[in-house]
Amino acid sequence: MKTMVETRRDSYHDSVSLMNISSRLSGREGIGEAAAVMGTPQNIQILRDSGLDTPELEEVGPNDLVIAVAAESDEAGAEAFELAGELLASGGGGGEGDEEPRRQLNTTHQAAAEGANLALISTPGKFAAAEALKALGSGMHVHMFSDNVPLEREVELKELAEERGLLMMGPDCGTAIINGVPLAFANSVRRGNVGVIAASGTGCQEVTSLLHRLGSGVSQAIGTGGRDLSSAVGGRTTKAALRALIGDEETGIIVLVSKPPAREVAAEIFELAGRTDKPVVCCFLGADPEEIRRSGLRAAPTLEDAARQAAELDLGEAPSLAGGEGGEKESVPAPELGDGQRYLRGLYSGGTFCHEALLLLHDSLGGVYSNTPLDEEHRLPDAGESLEHSCIDLGEDEFTRDRPHPMIDFRLRNERIVREAEDPETAVILLDLVLGYGANEDPAGAILPAITRAREIAEEAGRSLPVVVSVCGTDQDPQHIESQERRLRQAGAFVTSSNARAVRLASALVPARQKVEESR
């Protein structure tokens, strides 16, 4: 392999687009590693660590775009650079572009002068706070996709936004749907009566997608960033979003989604939510449901339950999930497993899905090991190696430092699926598949080779290996959920309509499950 680099001076592109481009280049014939990144010192070091090191990198600055590939030939490298140029011209996704060409605006102030009132910031964390400050100063709401922003800067930005009556979504805000427009990683859903406030990107995607599939719709979906409900940040964005939805005539029902907040922050959220006549469904994963109910809110133990309660309030009847052949099945015929097959192995691209799985599996299987465990006793010594029952969040920094997010690039998870299949103790593999804008253009196509190979490995060893997959998405997403689900079923996977259902099904397929009390 020959390392080849193309540099574009003073050419900024957001990280979601660049992750998609990196994934598209890596999948080409004749190309090994590939990356499209802004030339920050951190990104240049990542390129070097992954073997994409050339002298040209010494001259790169943080405002420069770098496209680096490991190519089998000059021709393969040239073709990769040509594709990268086409993808950059189309906005990075490679899908259907806008009907009209986009105007190039060079500053936040120019955008505000043109009438823009929301800025989506996806610069490296080192620069993100400064850009957010400019946007807020120009009277614009902010959706900050960027992470690695210091906590004290987040507090400062949210205090300023509060003073100016603006929303400061993020940092590390993966998902929002504002006035029907999906931002960052989000799904295409119908407009409707339910407003969602979420400190979780994939949690927001699951709830909004299920609302759509249940026949309901979304007025607004406001992301807050994962630290918003901490003691330090004080739930500033959550409270601002809650006040906005309480006053919004197009929102009749409100859903809150998060891990449990700091106790004093939860009290403030409950007090504010309790003032409205609008029903509020609260899904604080792992929180005490009785405490939520005492505050006058409706408690939802899972993301699916939150969507279902909100949809029932909206539609006036208990809805059923549509658009998923067999999606309502709670059980399947038990597979014939070998005597040594004992453990469940979950491999997740969504961090909230992994957390929800750990909570549900704790009730059925006892302690489950993870790189993001419920308790330190079950932290994996090495996230690269499963131990007994395990659920891995492959979106954590340890897996994404030198590659795109696993919702975009499936190579790392595919390798792990095959390795788990080679382990004679693996009884079932549990997966999530996330559709929508920003995600892989064909997730089923990307993961099917690994699922097929995993089942072949088990069959060659005289074993069967059930694979359970939950698909988060809608019929309006670019990938179209029914097509994705159908292809997965044709490959022998068990497909469910929510993560909670997938977890319960996978748990039921584990033979001779350990009792909770025996595992403690």
Side-chain angles (χ1 to χ4, degrees):
M1 287 286 183
K2 175 182 179 181
T3 299
M4 302 172 65
V5 170
E6 181 178 293
T7 301
R8 300 189 179 200
R9 302 294 181 186
D10 295 319
S11 178
Y12 172 75
H13 294 269
D14 70 87
S15 58
V16 175
S17 296
L18 296 181
M19 284 190 290
N20 271 299
I21 292 169
S22 298
S23 178
R24 291 286 297 276
L25 297 183
S26 298
R28 289 185 60 81
E29 184 177 352
I31 299 295
E33 287 290 331
V37 298
M38 296 305 298
T40 64
Q42 181 185 23
N43 285 340
I44 296 304
Q45 187 58 52
I46 288 172
L47 291 178
R48 289 176 171 144
D49 291 345
S50 60
L52 297 172
D53 190 10
T54 65
E56 294 103 306
L57 297 181
E58 295 290 344
E59 307 299 324
V60 170
N63 295 320
D64 301 333
L65 172 64
V66 181
I67 304 168
V69 299
E72 291 181 353
S73 65
D74 290 342
E75 182 181 6
E79 290 175 353
F81 291 140
E82 182 179 357
L83 174 60
E86 293 172 359
L87 294 174
L88 289 167
S90 69
E96 297 181 7
D98 295 335
E99 292 295 326
E100 298 181 4
R102 302 174 183 176
R103 285 196 57 202
Q104 179 68 44
L105 300 174
N106 296 320
T107 69
T108 302
H109 296 304
Q110 284 182 356
E114 290 284 324
N117 68 352
L118 187 150
L120 195 158
I121 296 173
S122 185
T123 63
K126 180 179 178 181
F127 310 105
E131 293 303 318
L133 189 62
K134 293 176 189 176
L136 293 170
S138 298
M140 302 170 74
H141 303 285
V142 171
H143 178 184
M144 186 185 288
F145 184 80
S146 308
D147 58 5
N148 295 315
V149 175
L151 178 62
E152 59 272 18
R153 295 307 305 274
E154 177 176 351
V155 173
E156 291 170 3
L157 290 168
K158 291 189 172 181
E159 286 177 343
L160 177 60
E162 189 174 20
E163 291 172 7
R164 300 190 172 218
L166 299 169
L167 280 176
M168 174 65 214
M169 296 176 276
D172 198 18
C173 181
T175 302
I177 304 173
I178 305 299
N179 294 334
V181 179
L183 302 177
F185 291 108
N187 301 90
S188 180
V189 301
R190 74 174 61 84
R191 297 296 300 276
N193 197 35
V194 182
V196 179
I197 303 170
S200 153
T202 47
C204 185
Q205 288 189 261
E206 176 91 327
V207 171
T208 54
S209 294
L210 288 175
L211 283 168
H212 175 93
R213 297 180 70 180
L214 289 163
S216 183
V218 175
S219 59
Q220 309 286 346
I222 302 172
T224 69
R227 297 185 302 206
D228 188 68
L229 293 170
S230 65
S231 296
V233 184
R236 284 181 166 84
T237 298
T238 301
K239 289 183 283 189
L242 191 50
R243 286 190 289 266
L245 294 185
I246 288 172
D248 179 27
E249 293 182 358
E250 296 184 357
T251 298
I253 300 144
I254 299 171
V255 179
L256 303 174
V257 179
S258 177
K259 296 177 184 178
R263 195 163 191 81
E264 69 278 10
V265 177
E268 294 178 11
I269 299 299
F270 292 156
E271 193 275 332
L272 178 58
R275 294 184 205 165
T276 180
D277 294 333
K278 297 180 180 182
V280 179
V281 179
C282 182
C283 180
F284 287 165
L285 291 169
D288 180 1
E290 289 305 316
E291 184 178 355
I292 294 171
R293 294 189 186 102
R294 285 196 298 269
S295 301
L297 281 59
R298 290 164 169 79
T302 67
L303 298 167
E304 180 189 349
D305 192 51
R308 191 175 291 279
Q309 287 194 46
E312 185 172 356
L313 287 164
D314 182 27
L315 303 174
E317 60 182 6
S320 61
L321 284 166
E325 178 189 347
E328 291 292 318
K329 292 181 180 179
E330 295 289 350
S331 61
V332 296
E336 296 183 6
L337 301 177
D339 292 339
Q341 291 181 267
R342 303 172 57 193
Y343 298 122
L344 179 149
R345 301 289 163 76
L347 301 173
Y348 278 96
S349 62
T352 299
F353 290 149
C354 185
H355 185 75
E356 183 180 51
L358 289 169
L359 290 167
L360 293 171
L361 292 172
H362 184 270
D363 293 337
S364 60
L365 299 180
V368 178
Y369 286 91
S370 179
N371 58 331
T372 58
L374 299 180
D375 56 70
E376 286 303 309
E377 179 184 352
H378 290 94
R379 181 173 294 281
L380 283 169
D382 178 0
E385 297 292 335
S386 297
L387 179 64
E388 299 180 4
H389 298 303
S390 296
C391 279
I392 313 299
D393 177 7
L394 291 163
E396 280 289 286
D397 289 347
E398 60 207 289
F399 294 111
T400 60
R401 183 173 178 267
D402 59 350
R403 63 179 67 237
H405 193 278
M407 280 197 279
I408 297 173
D409 186 343
F410 281 54
R411 287 176 296 165
L412 184 63
R413 183 156 64 157
N414 284 352
E415 293 169 4
R416 188 69 176 262
I417 290 170
V418 172
R419 283 173 49 207
E420 297 295 356
E422 292 170 344
D423 183 349
E425 292 190 320
T426 300
V428 57
I429 293 177
L430 174 62
L431 307 168
D432 64 334
L433 211 65
V434 183
L435 315 185
Y437 297 101
N440 187 286
E441 62 181 9
D442 182 16
I447 206 168
L448 280 175
I451 292 176
T452 301
R453 180 57 189 147
R455 289 167 53 81
E456 289 174 349
I457 289 170
E459 186 176 345
E460 290 165 2
R463 299 182 270 118
S464 63
L465 181 61
V467 178
V468 181
V469 188
S470 66
V471 182
C472 173
T474 75
D475 57 348
Q476 295 182 178
D477 282 330
Q479 304 90 344
H480 201 280
I481 191 168
E482 290 187 6
S483 170
Q484 298 285 313
E485 290 182 332
R486 181 172 59 254
R487 291 158 64 197
L488 289 165
R489 289 192 179 95
Q490 289 172 346
F494 298 123
V495 181
T496 71
S497 50
S498 76
N499 181 57
R501 288 173 182 244
V503 174
R504 293 186 180 113
L505 174 56
S507 175
L509 294 175
V510 176
R513 292 181 292 160
Q514 294 174 314
K515 296 182 184 295
V516 173
E517 57 266 28
E518 291 176 351
S519 68
R520 289 175 175 168

